[in-house]
Amino acid sequence: MGYRTNELGYPTDLLHSRAVVERGNFALIPPQGLVKNMLPNFDDCEMTILATPKLGAEFVDYICRVLPGGGNKAGFGEKGIETFLYVLDGELTVSDGEKTYDLTTGGYIYVPEDKTLTFENKSQKPTETFLYKKRYQFVEGLKAYTYVGNSNDVEGVDYEDMTDVDFKTLLPSDLDFDMNFHILSFATGGSHGYIETHYQEHGALLLSGEGMYNLDNNWIPVKEGDYIFMGAYNLQACYSVGRNAPLSYLYSKDCNRDVDI
């Protein structure tokens, strides 16, 4: 997967980028041009920070390449912060401080705000992961809980009765959770049924394929490895044009909460 491809422009070509950033509204961030960050407690991890509050998001997304023997043993997240980890490629041992789980490609774990996510790559190859964190929105009588699964075991359904669009829900849909993760897969020619407009934000990582994405009525070419941030009320929709694989992406969505004022 091409999450860290860095093709040089200068000196053999022009300096250019497909990136489009409209802070607070939307952003397309291709893998070319991503930089690595040194972060505390992420040992032997190549970290790239994607969406943040500085972009306009109320969450933070990362790409994390965990080298053999690397990981975060001190803990990702803190009191009040919920976390999510998805294995894009490889193997990883994860824990919520109470139980330990072995994840493979497609595996994921959600850890609630009162626990801390740790992980370690015990294999001999680098493991590509996607990380997410957000401040949990408390409601009296509701409490989220650790949830572990693998997207390959999740049965998809037709998205809004369209047989060429597959929709997977990765986390429970009950009110204890204030967000969810989904995978949408569009066969060639598949698309949203309409251009959506809503207050929920998304962070989306393209897992495969290529297509066109409408971001605030700008039709932008996208493909595997790209990251998209969609802010509140950003107009959004896409269609798939890839011949070799469906346009598929992993994305987060706020849910199950009223709006604070």
Side-chain angles (χ1 to χ4, degrees):
M1 294 185 176
Y3 301 109
R4 290 191 173 274
T5 302
N6 235 331
E7 298 174 358
L8 292 177
Y10 181 82
T12 60
D13 200 350
L14 296 175
L15 289 176
H16 67 282
S17 174
R18 293 189 299 111
V20 181
V21 177
E22 297 287 341
R23 287 178 176 82
N25 190 7
F26 70 87
L28 170 70
I29 304 176
Q32 296 82 9
L34 290 178
V35 299
K36 300 174 184 177
N37 306 101
M38 296 287 292
L39 301 180
N41 301 322
F42 289 89
D43 300 321
D44 290 321
C45 292
E46 297 176 353
M47 301 291 298
T48 294
I49 302 173
L50 299 168
T52 71
K54 289 186 177 182
L55 183 60
E58 294 189 356
F59 56 85
V60 183
D61 282 339
Y62 311 75
I63 291 292
C64 174
R65 188 169 192 255
V66 189
L67 302 179
N72 189 324
K73 298 179 181 179
F76 173 58
E78 58 192 68
K79 184 68 174 178
I81 303 297
E82 58 191 340
T83 56
F84 179 86
L85 180 150
Y86 185 93
V87 178
L88 298 164
D89 186 45
E91 304 174 12
L92 208 63
T93 299
V94 302
S95 175
D96 66 353
E98 295 182 359
K99 293 184 178 180
T100 299
Y101 309 87
D102 292 321
L103 304 182
T104 56
T105 300
Y108 57 88
I109 180 172
Y110 167 90
V111 176
E113 57 78 28
D114 59 345
K115 297 181 181 179
T116 302
L117 170 62
T118 62
F119 57 89
E120 182 180 4
N121 182 1
K122 297 182 179 180
S123 75
Q124 300 303 309
K125 297 180 180 180
T127 295
E128 301 282 353
T129 68
F130 175 86
L131 293 172
Y132 164 99
K133 69 178 182 181
K134 185 180 78 70
R135 185 164 298 280
Y136 182 67
Q137 190 173 352
F138 290 94
V139 173
E140 186 175 356
L142 301 178
K143 186 179 186 302
Y145 47 89
T146 299
Y147 192 85
V148 179
N150 189 296
S151 62
N152 296 308
D153 300 327
V154 177
E155 184 176 358
V157 299
D158 291 343
Y159 184 66
E160 297 185 340
D161 297 323
M162 295 182 290
T163 59
D164 55 359
V165 185
D166 183 76
F167 179 69
K168 292 185 176 183
T169 298
L170 302 189
L171 299 180
S173 298
D174 60 67
L175 293 176
D176 292 313
F177 292 82
D178 69 345
M179 50 74 64
N180 212 319
F181 267 88
H182 306 280
I183 294 179
L184 261 178
S185 298
F186 298 82
T188 299
S191 72
H192 286 87
Y194 50 90
I195 295 178
E196 299 181 0
T197 309
H198 51 67
Y199 82 92
Q200 294 94 343
E201 299 178 337
H202 297 310
L205 181 68
L206 272 68
L207 303 176
S208 66
E210 55 191 48
M212 297 293 292
Y213 221 105
N214 187 313
L215 298 170
D216 201 21
N217 273 344
N218 299 280
W219 283 105
I220 300 175
V222 297
K223 64 179 182 178
E224 176 184 337
D226 287 349
Y227 176 83
I228 303 173
F229 164 67
M230 289 166 266
Y233 298 104
N234 169 72
L235 281 68
Q236 55 197 257
C238 77
Y239 61 84
S240 173
V241 301
R243 296 180 179 179
N244 299 319
L247 175 63
S248 179
Y249 56 87
L250 170 74
Y251 71 102
S252 61
K253 183 177 182 178
D254 312 322
C255 61
N256 299 335
R257 295 293 185 269
D258 198 357
V259 180
D260 292 332
I261 59 173

